[in-house]
């Protein structure tokens, strides 16, 4: 079996069995394609499984060094931390690929496990303020060209902030999901409970506030074809709304509103978590609502809040500018 066929099988396995995100599959595909092209020149022939089994740690390091040299020669604008993240992703792609080969094709090569993974700093979440986040649904929807799009955008961005969803999770919802949410809610209070399928196919239950349910119901009445199996959020042609369209709409509005570049749909998810934490919500509860697999991921919001408090202190405290003799 040639290495290219094994790579394609691995990526298919990542997509169907592991249910990896499309972005991860795309990134791994690019890394492994570049790796196999390098090996073809490095070894003098297209590699097969036997060639992969015989690769040494020096061979793998040679590829990583080659990629680093390509980036330097291209003079790509990058930071040290970004370069470290790219290398870490490539090491992860190699390790995952060779673990797959060991389990499914008997290719046992310990070299990928010996590669050093550079330490990277995960950027802290940058939420919007409460007033800014509350302004997003109306601000973005006011820029829409049709009444249907206005109702849709208001509901979508209200949902993103009100429930802390990823944009991909919100756009994956169908009309029946809204109907089920209303059925599981309190009819007197007018709230609901959404069943969300997150990363890796993991499901979680997310409560929907009455204000958000009202916006979603208004959109459902304006929906051009509200059949149960239809996408909840649709584009002008009736298909599922693309994330890029929603991101572009918010980008246009933030420029008009004078908001910073980090004011994106995903920033509303950060805002949801940060504002809950500031209100005294337990980290475990926020973890469940966001669908984080690890509590350490949720704890980043604690660090972000500490950084914000320190910034406020340094700008406001009378002694912040004092020098120590």
């Amino acid at each position: 079996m040639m290495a290219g066929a094994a790579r394609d099988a691995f990526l298919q396995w990542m997509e169907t069995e592991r249910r990896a995100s499309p972005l991860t599959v795309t990134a791994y595909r690019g890394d492994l394609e570049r790796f196999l092209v390098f090996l073809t020149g490095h070894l003098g022939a297209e590699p097969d499984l036997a060639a992969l089994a015989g690769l040494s740690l020096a061979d793998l390091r040679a590829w990583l060094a080659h990629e680093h040299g390509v980036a330097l020669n291209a003079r790509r604008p990058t930071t040290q931390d970004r370069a470290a993240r790219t290398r870490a992703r490539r090491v992860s792609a190699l390790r995952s690929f060779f673990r797959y080969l060991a389990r499914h094709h008997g290719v046992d090569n310990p070299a990928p496990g010996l590669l050093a993974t550079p330490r990277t700093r995960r950027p802290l979440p940058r939420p919007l303020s409460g007033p800014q986040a509350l302004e997003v649904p109306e601000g973005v929807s006011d820029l829409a060209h049709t009444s249907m799009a206005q109702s849709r955008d208001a509901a979508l961005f209200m949902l993103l902030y009100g429930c802390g969803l990823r944009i991909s999770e919100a756009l994956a919802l169908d009309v029946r999901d809204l109907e089920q949410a209303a059925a599981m809610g309190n009819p007197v209070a007018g709230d609901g409970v959404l069943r969300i399928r997150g990363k890796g196919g993991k499901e979680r239950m997310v409560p929907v506030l009455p204000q958000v349910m009202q916006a979603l119901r208004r959109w459902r009445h304006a929906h051009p074809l509200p059949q149960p199996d239809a996408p909840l959020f649709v584009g002008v042609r009736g298909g599922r709304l693309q994330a890029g369209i929603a991101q572009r709409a918010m980008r246009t509005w933030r420029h008009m509103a004078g908001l910073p570049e980090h004011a994106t749909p995903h920033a509303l998810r950060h805002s949801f978590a940060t504002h809950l934490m500031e209100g005294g919500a337990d980290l475990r509860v926020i973890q469940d609502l966001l669908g984080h697999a690890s509590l350490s991921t949720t704890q980043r919001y604690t660090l972000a809040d500490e950084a914000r408090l320190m910034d406020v202190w340094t700008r406001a405290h009378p002694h912040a500018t004092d020098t120590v003799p």
Side-chain angles (χ1 to χ4, degrees):
M1 186 178 189
M2 302 306 293
R7 174 206 58 208
D8 294 341
F10 162 70
L11 294 171
Q12 180 69 23
W13 175 79
M14 285 281 294
E15 188 173 2
T16 58
E17 299 295 328
R18 290 288 302 276
R19 294 183 179 179
S21 73
L23 290 178
T24 298
V25 174
T26 299
Y28 279 18
R29 175 179 287 109
D31 290 335
L32 293 176
E33 285 177 353
R34 296 172 70 89
F35 173 60
L36 296 185
V37 168
F38 168 81
L39 284 184
T40 300
H42 185 65
L43 301 176
E46 182 181 358
D48 56 12
L49 293 186
L52 294 179
L55 292 176
S56 67
L57 182 59
D59 294 323
L60 302 182
R61 286 174 173 168
W63 173 61
L64 294 173
H66 168 78
E67 291 297 327
H68 182 66
V70 169
L72 290 178
N73 291 334
R75 297 183 179 179
R76 298 171 187 162
T78 185
T79 63
Q80 183 176 356
D81 194 57
R82 183 176 179 181
R85 290 198 302 270
T86 300
R87 179 185 172 94
R89 189 200 65 225
R90 287 171 175 156
V91 170
S92 177
L94 285 178
R95 288 176 175 172
S96 297
F97 181 42
F98 276 86
R99 279 197 300 267
Y100 167 84
L101 293 177
R103 294 172 184 171
H104 295 84
H105 299 285
V107 176
D108 189 11
N109 188 333
L114 301 177
L115 285 170
T117 303
R119 291 175 175 253
T120 60
R121 294 179 301 169
R122 295 190 65 182
L124 292 177
R126 292 188 291 176
L128 304 178
S129 68
Q132 288 173 339
L134 290 172
E135 188 181 354
V136 170
E138 182 177 356
V140 175
S141 63
D142 282 347
L143 298 180
H145 298 298
T146 66
S147 59
M148 185 202 81
Q150 288 176 346
S151 178
R152 179 201 65 199
D153 290 353
L156 172 60
F157 286 96
M158 182 80 78
L159 178 64
L160 293 178
Y161 176 52
C163 294
L165 302 188
R166 302 177 179 91
I167 184 69
S168 59
E169 294 171 344
L171 298 182
L173 293 171
D174 294 329
V175 172
R176 67 162 57 89
D177 295 315
L178 176 58
E179 297 170 347
Q180 293 172 355
M184 288 189 288
N186 186 330
V188 176
D191 56 12
V193 180
L194 270 174
R195 186 186 301 273
I196 301 298
R197 183 180 291 273
K199 287 186 176 180
K202 296 179 181 178
E203 289 189 351
R204 68 184 189 275
M205 307 302 291
V206 178
V208 185
L209 296 170
Q211 299 93 321
V212 180
M213 282 298 296
Q214 290 174 9
L216 290 171
R217 287 193 176 104
R218 284 194 294 269
W219 159 238
R220 188 186 184 284
H221 289 313
H223 197 293
L225 190 64
Q227 301 298 323
D229 59 346
L232 179 58
F233 296 105
V234 295
V236 293
R237 298 181 181 179
R240 196 175 297 276
L241 183 66
Q242 299 298 308
I245 296 176
Q247 291 163 345
R248 183 167 62 247
M250 187 165 177
R251 184 164 58 246
T252 300
W253 174 75
R254 82 172 178 232
H255 289 158
M256 296 180 63
L259 293 183
E261 292 298 309
H262 70 262
T264 64
H266 200 69
L268 295 175
R269 176 173 163 87
H270 294 327
S271 305
F272 166 84
T274 301
H275 299 161
L276 280 180
M277 189 192 66
E278 290 174 348
D282 184 84
L283 273 178
R284 288 287 184 185
V285 174
I286 299 176
Q287 177 189 6
D288 291 340
L289 292 174
L290 294 177
H292 286 161
S294 171
L295 184 62
S296 63
T297 305
T298 314
Q299 287 173 332
R300 293 166 58 225
Y301 293 100
T302 305
L303 298 175
D305 192 50
E306 290 175 354
R308 183 187 63 83
L309 290 175
M310 182 59 70
D311 180 61
V312 171
W313 182 87
T314 56
R315 286 187 288 106
H317 197 282
H319 290 305
T321 57
D322 289 351
T323 60
V324 178

